[in-house]
Amino acid sequence: MKIPYGLSNFKQVITDGYAYVDKTDYIAKLEDSGRHIILLRPRRFGKSLLLSAMEYYYDTQHAADFETLFGNLYLGKHPTPLKNSYQVLFMEFSGIDTGEGEARIHQRFNEKITTSLQGFLRRYGYAEALGATIELKTSPAAKMEYFFEVMSGQKILLLIDEYDHFANTLLAADMSLFQRVVGKGGFVRSFYETLKTATQRGTLDRLYITGVTPIMLDSMTSGFNIGENLSLHEDFNEAIGFTKTEVAALLQPLVEACNLEPDALLSDITRWYNGYRFAPDADTVYNANMVLYFIKNFRLKHCAYPDPMLDENIASDYGKILGMFSIGNRDTNFAVLDELITSGEVTAQQRRKFDFEKGFDRDDFISLLGYMGFVSLQRKTLAGEAFSIPNYVIQELYFQYFKVELERRNQMTISNQAIALAVQALALQDDMQPLITEMERALQLLSNRDAMGMDEKHVKVLLLTLLYQTSVYFIQSEREMNRKYPDILLLERSPIVVDHQHLIELKYSKQSDGVTGWEAKRQAGITQVQGYLQLPDIAVLPKLSAWLMISDGVRVEVVKLK
């Protein structure tokens, strides 16, 4: 099976025989939902491939290819009246460098529009002189106005991919520049005003926009206020991304080739790549690109999982997005991060638009994390929407970023090399002491600054932060087992082989409770760990060591119980 990881050209995927998860029924649903549609999803989720399928479906120039491209798909069997009925204008706004100032952003935005318009004119056989005239126009709005004037009497379908790509980066780097470019009087808003005029005159008949966040929607729809945002609509929850059934079908060749247990494999993939929900009562979906990466890089010769489990390009991409933690009040944002990794959940009123002229508050920040895929909607409450970390990929990224923030805020350094060696000693020699040494060193630095208001949760968070800096173990925190919740399980993860797995129970003893309190916590912890070892799911774990860790926020004691 050929896996289309990293591919976003629909025709290439179909004609070259790549596996394709049929989402074309959603093209029909989008068509029925309105003429001007906005659909937002996290980065690298499969948006561009859906938009490419729409281009080939609606374009008059691909009518002869319809049976080849769509014959075996939903739309091939259930075509809509608008099949192959439009001249299609395609635009995308990735790759615009935001680091060289407003003039450069304007230039690159202009170039993107010029390239799209000239490509359209060539493709449909319009006079070359029209493209030359567009080149001479100095602003995005002027180019579009001229183009729509030339197209008067036609019906155009416009597809815009990555509408907010440059704006997300710009917002994180320079809020005031973002507002000048995107806000009232900015060239981006003026660009969208021309689209609104073209819809009123009938030239722009349909418009579909994809992106990640709605950060430009307030500014954009002030100029173009007829677009309908379906991103949080339950009917389109699964339009982009994979369902559990779709993932199971994609995994089946691996199951057969390696004689794998299908439920166990799907369970692992679910923990790593699932967990995204965009409407309160909807099912969760998987990140499509992450799943495709796993399948493409599965080591069939050894029947082993990829190493690493996340493509470095995706990790880098998501790492850059974490720069958005600097938007607004950094302390407020850090408190959200702290709450997420200590309690596992945050609550906010989800924003559908952002008005940065009115500020950027906690609800804005959590909503932004939701659109970017760093938190996922769990349920609706009376206080707002409850969000949690969707999966292990994002959990790892959070803890890696938390270490960076911890170091920055407290002017301290935690050695990644020392942590790596400590985890190696734990994995290969069953030696906890190097990790304890690093724990005590970090605790000492933090206690000197009274940095985290140290308590049991924060001691545990610090330990997890250290452990997540390596990729040796699959880390489970407070996993439910027969209504019991061991603090930390360090489990072997394919393809890495370790000599020891670990169960760690953490107890916090207040310094004011003295020796008596410390001893009481030790006895309670020993009893608790002994109880965990009797659980069937724990008893069957091979190579397991069990530890009790006690701390008062400065020193750490460990007791080995197995």
Side-chain angles (χ1 to χ4, degrees):
M1 180 168 63
K2 294 174 69 176
I3 299 300
Y5 176 68
L7 301 183
S8 58
N9 183 286
F10 174 75
K11 183 176 182 179
Q12 179 186 12
V13 169
I14 298 300
T15 57
D16 289 357
Y18 287 92
Y20 178 72
V21 174
D22 187 2
K23 297 285 185 178
T24 60
D25 56 320
Y26 284 101
I27 296 177
K29 292 175 184 177
L30 288 167
E31 185 179 305
D32 289 340
S33 296
R35 291 179 177 270
H36 314 112
I37 301 298
I38 300 158
L39 189 59
L40 308 173
R41 286 296 181 266
R43 292 277 291 140
R44 299 179 180 269
F45 221 80
K47 301 182 295 295
S48 296
L49 184 58
L50 177 64
L51 222 57
S52 178
M54 296 177 79
E55 181 177 7
Y56 284 99
Y57 179 72
Y58 286 115
D59 197 329
T60 55
Q61 291 213 330
H62 294 296
D65 299 327
F66 178 78
E67 188 60 33
T68 299
L69 297 178
F70 293 95
N72 295 322
L73 305 176
Y74 176 89
L75 275 181
K77 299 174 175 63
H78 308 90
T80 67
L82 297 179
K83 169 180 78 74
N84 300 121
S85 62
Y86 286 102
Q87 292 183 353
V88 176
L89 173 62
F90 180 87
M91 293 181 170
E92 62 87 28
F93 294 111
S94 65
I96 295 178
D97 184 13
T98 61
E100 298 181 24
E102 184 173 354
R104 178 61 175 160
I105 297 170
H106 182 276
Q107 178 188 345
R108 289 291 293 124
F109 194 83
N110 240 348
E111 289 170 353
K112 288 275 186 178
I113 290 170
T114 300
T115 299
S116 295
L117 296 180
Q118 289 180 336
F120 175 95
L121 295 171
R122 283 195 303 271
R123 192 161 61 253
Y124 296 106
Y126 290 94
E128 289 185 15
L130 299 178
T133 303
I134 285 172
E135 185 96 44
L136 296 174
K137 300 294 181 181
T138 57
S139 74
K143 293 177 188 291
M144 296 307 298
E145 286 170 351
Y146 176 75
F147 172 78
F148 285 127
E149 181 183 334
V150 170
M151 292 297 114
S152 180
Q154 298 283 355
K155 287 191 178 298
I156 305 295
L157 183 147
L158 173 58
L159 302 173
I160 301 180
D161 196 16
E162 306 267 22
Y163 96 101
D164 61 334
H165 189 280
F166 72 96
N168 286 327
T169 307
L170 186 59
L171 178 63
D174 190 335
M175 173 77 79
S176 63
L177 180 54
F178 170 86
Q179 290 174 313
R180 290 201 304 275
V181 168
V182 173
K184 187 175 181 180
F187 62 83
V188 172
R189 180 180 291 194
S190 298
F191 164 77
Y192 283 102
E193 287 172 349
T194 67
L195 303 189
K196 179 180 179 180
T197 301
T199 64
Q200 292 170 336
R201 294 178 178 173
T203 308
L204 182 56
D205 191 55
R206 286 181 178 263
L207 168 66
Y208 298 99
I209 297 174
T210 69
V212 175
T213 74
I215 62 168
M216 294 207 314
L217 290 192
D218 184 69
S219 297
M220 186 184 90
T221 55
S222 295
F224 181 78
N225 56 10
I226 56 175
E228 185 177 2
N229 184 3
L230 298 179
S231 307
L232 305 180
H233 197 294
E234 184 177 4
D235 290 348
F236 294 94
N237 183 71
E238 299 168 5
I240 303 172
F242 293 156
T243 66
K244 189 174 185 177
T245 301
E246 290 164 348
V247 171
L250 287 168
L251 293 175
Q252 191 57 34
L254 302 184
V255 170
E256 294 172 359
C258 290
N259 195 28
L260 300 173
E261 170 53 48
D263 290 342
L265 177 60
L266 184 60
S267 178
D268 283 347
I269 297 300
T270 298
R271 282 195 291 266
W272 276 92
Y273 309 130
N274 190 27
Y276 302 93
R277 181 185 287 109
F278 305 101
D281 298 320
D283 292 331
T284 56
V285 294
Y286 297 72
N287 182 303
N289 273 25
M290 292 180 187
V291 171
L292 293 177
Y293 165 81
F294 176 90
I295 298 171
K296 183 175 181 179
N297 292 278
F298 186 88
R299 299 162 64 200
L300 271 175
K301 183 177 180 180
H302 305 283
C303 288
Y305 290 5
D307 183 20
M309 286 286 282
L310 179 64
D311 183 290
E312 291 177 359
N313 292 324
I314 297 179
S316 173
D317 200 22
Y318 273 73
K320 290 174 185 174
I321 296 174
L322 280 170
M324 301 188 85
F325 273 72
S326 63
I327 301 170
N329 187 307
R330 197 155 187 161
D331 288 338
T332 299
N333 298 347
F334 183 76
V336 170
L337 174 60
D338 186 39
E339 185 179 350
L340 264 174
I341 62 178
T342 53
S343 66
E345 191 172 277
V346 291
T347 301
Q349 298 286 341
Q350 186 166 31
R351 305 293 195 218
R352 292 176 177 267
K353 292 182 183 179
F354 295 88
D355 185 353
F356 295 105
E357 292 180 1
K358 295 180 180 178
F360 187 81
D361 61 17
R362 183 179 184 275
D363 288 344
D364 291 323
F365 180 62
I366 294 171
S367 298
L368 194 60
L369 292 179
Y371 285 109
M372 294 189 299
F374 282 106
V375 295
S376 182
L377 182 60
Q378 291 303 304
R379 63 190 179 281
K380 202 169 181 63
T381 72
L382 294 177
E385 286 79 17
F387 295 88
S388 66
I389 300 171
N391 53 46
Y392 196 78
V393 162
I394 304 302
Q395 184 99 342
E396 274 194 333
L397 291 173
Y398 268 132
F399 275 101
Q400 289 164 8
Y401 182 75
F402 188 77
K403 173 180 176 285
V404 171
E405 273 294 293
L406 210 57
E407 291 174 319
R408 185 191 69 81
R409 295 169 69 86
N410 297 286
Q411 298 180 328
M412 58 185 281
T413 300
I414 300 173
S415 168
N416 282 341
Q417 175 66 13
I419 295 169
L421 292 172
V423 174
Q424 177 177 279
L426 194 62
L428 301 181
Q429 295 149 22
D430 202 23
D431 183 0
M432 179 70 77
Q433 189 52 51
L435 183 61
I436 298 307
T437 300
E438 293 309 310
M439 266 290 283
E440 289 186 326
R441 181 176 294 140
L443 284 169
Q444 185 64 50
L445 289 168
L446 291 170
S447 66
N448 288 345
R449 295 166 175 79
D450 194 24
M452 298 171 66
M454 199 59 67
D455 56 20
E456 182 167 351
K457 278 189 174 181
H458 284 103
V459 172
K460 179 182 171 184
V461 164
L462 179 61
L463 176 58
L464 287 169
T465 300
L466 299 183
L467 292 168
Y468 270 108
Q469 303 313 307
T470 76
S471 300
V472 173
Y473 285 109
F474 184 79
I475 303 167
Q476 293 187 341
S477 177
E478 296 191 19
R479 172 182 165 187
E480 194 275 330
M481 293 180 165
N482 293 69
R483 290 176 292 180
K484 296 183 185 294
Y485 300 86
D487 274 335
I488 297 173
L489 285 170
L490 303 180
L491 303 178
E492 192 171 61
R493 66 188 242 189
S494 174
I496 300 167
V497 177
V498 298
D499 294 333
H500 303 278
Q501 302 189 102
H502 301 274
L503 181 153
I504 303 172
E505 184 66 18
L506 182 67
K507 291 297 178 186
Y508 180 77
S509 179
K510 294 180 181 178
Q511 293 183 24
S512 59
D513 290 342
V515 176
T516 303
W518 187 281
E519 185 59 33
K521 290 289 186 180
R522 179 194 289 154
Q523 291 307 314
I526 289 172
T527 301
Q528 204 167 350
V529 173
Q530 289 172 339
Y532 292 148
L533 293 173
Q534 304 307 310
L535 296 174
D537 287 345
I538 297 293
V540 297
L541 291 175
K543 306 179 288 188
L544 183 69
S545 296
W547 308 83
L548 170 65
M549 184 180 293
I550 314 156
S551 177
D552 59 4
V554 177
R555 65 190 181 100
V556 180
E557 177 190 353
V558 289
V559 180
K560 187 172 185 182
L561 297 165
K562 181 183 177 184

